Amino acid sequence: MLTKKQLDLLEFIQKRVQRDGVPPSFDEMKEALDLRSKSGIHRLITALEERGFIRRLAHRARALEIVKLPDALQAKFDAPVAGGFQPRVIDGDRPDSRPAGAQPLENGGAIDLPVMGRIAAGVPIAAISEISHNVSVPSSMVGKGEHYALEVKGDSMIDAGINDGDVVVIRESSTADNGDIVVALVEDSEATLKRYRRNGDAIALEAANPAYETRLFRGDQVKVQGRLVGLIRTY
């Protein structure tokens, strides 16, 4: 039997994983549950882990994996949502083949996406345009629209569960909602993976690591290139 706070936290984590493909940070969990300190979040996570609902992933900054949901929550998340999708993290190996473009695999359960080089989760790096290789992802991860993949370089998004060396799956889009993790093209020359916030004509690109400062730009200096829908972790 879970307490209301435990249920609220489990639901919040699941919603964020579905929306962003990665778990929320401890600060985001603390704010969502209106707690005064992170210690309360630690206690809730420990209780959920002991009851077998979540698992902490070793050697990864604040990375969580939902193992199961209570029946009431499971039914809620199983209900179809118009236009919705459920991004998830998968483990895989980098393929050696380099077919051009996104190609469905023979088994119909996966699709090949082009990996368009590396994206900075740190200081922005040069804009990315060349395909380095392809990666296979579950077709349920990508849904509608055009997609591509990028290899993450840097650690500025570790509190969002995105590590150096991960491959992120991006849905092409020129728009984003506040709080989305996006590929942002800065001044038509540098690309970076950050959380997007817009206030009037000002755009903030937020890191998920306190070692990095939020960067502020005018609206005409930033172009959204796509939204994060999932990630692949290799070992």
Side-chain angles (χ1 to χ4, degrees), residues 4 40 69 71 77 98 140 143 149 159 169 185 196 198 200 233:
K4 184 178 185 304
L69 293 172
D71 291 342
F77 284 105
R98 298 189 181 188
S140 59
D159 283 358
V169 178
L185 185 64
Y196 175 94
R198 181 159 196 151
R233 180 155 294 144

Side-chain angles (χ1 to χ4, degrees), residues 176-198:
D177 297 326
N178 281 343
D180 285 346
I181 295 176
V182 305
V183 174
L185 185 64
V186 179
E187 296 182 328
D188 291 320
S189 62
E190 296 175 318
T192 189
L193 186 73
K194 292 291 183 292
R195 197 174 295 280
Y196 175 94
R197 307 279 183 190
R198 181 159 196 151

Side-chain angles (χ1 to χ4, degrees), residues 21 31 35 48 60 74 99 127 147 152 156 167 169 189 215 219 222:
E31 182 178 346
L35 298 178
L48 290 172
R60 305 177 199 176
Q74 186 66 60
H147 296 75
V152 174
S156 76
V167 173
V169 178
S189 62
R215 305 181 75 217
V222 175

Side-chain angles (χ1 to χ4, degrees), residues 11-104:
E11 181 175 4
F12 177 65
I13 293 171
Q14 177 71 354
K15 284 181 178 179
R16 291 299 296 271
V17 169
Q18 286 191 338
R19 191 191 79 177
D20 297 341
V22 292
S25 69
F26 277 39
D27 282 328
E28 289 167 333
M29 288 186 265
K30 178 172 70 72
E31 182 178 346
L33 271 67
D34 195 26
L35 298 178
R36 293 186 178 182
S37 69
K38 292 181 185 178
S39 62
I41 295 297
H42 281 284
R43 286 193 294 271
L44 291 173
I45 286 176
T46 298
L48 290 172
E49 186 177 29
E50 290 174 347
R51 288 161 177 78
F53 289 98
I54 65 173
R55 178 170 56 207
R56 278 185 263 215
L57 305 177
H59 310 301
R60 305 177 199 176
R62 299 177 184 174
L64 303 171
E65 179 181 50
I66 290 183
V67 177
K68 64 180 181 179
L69 293 172
D71 291 342
L73 279 185
Q74 186 66 60
K76 180 176 181 178
F77 284 105
D78 283 345
V81 179
F85 57 91
Q86 296 186 4
R88 53 197 174 96
V89 179
I90 65 172
D91 296 335
D93 296 321
R94 295 182 180 86
D96 295 328
S97 58
R98 298 189 181 188
Q103 301 292 332

Side-chain angles (χ1 to χ4, degrees), residues 74-150:
Q74 186 66 60
K76 180 176 181 178
F77 284 105
D78 283 345
V81 179
F85 57 91
Q86 296 186 4
R88 53 197 174 96
V89 179
I90 65 172
D91 296 335
D93 296 321
R94 295 182 180 86
D96 295 328
S97 58
R98 298 189 181 188
Q103 301 292 332
L105 299 184
E106 291 181 0
N107 63 14
I111 190 169
D112 270 0
L113 294 182
V115 179
M116 309 293 288
R118 307 182 81 185
I119 181 75
V123 179
I125 57 177
I128 300 162
S129 61
E130 295 184 0
I131 298 174
S132 62
H133 60 277
N134 278 39
V135 65
S136 296
V137 303
S139 56
S140 59
M141 177 183 284
V142 297
K144 296 181 180 180
E146 297 296 322
H147 296 75
Y148 59 93
L150 295 165

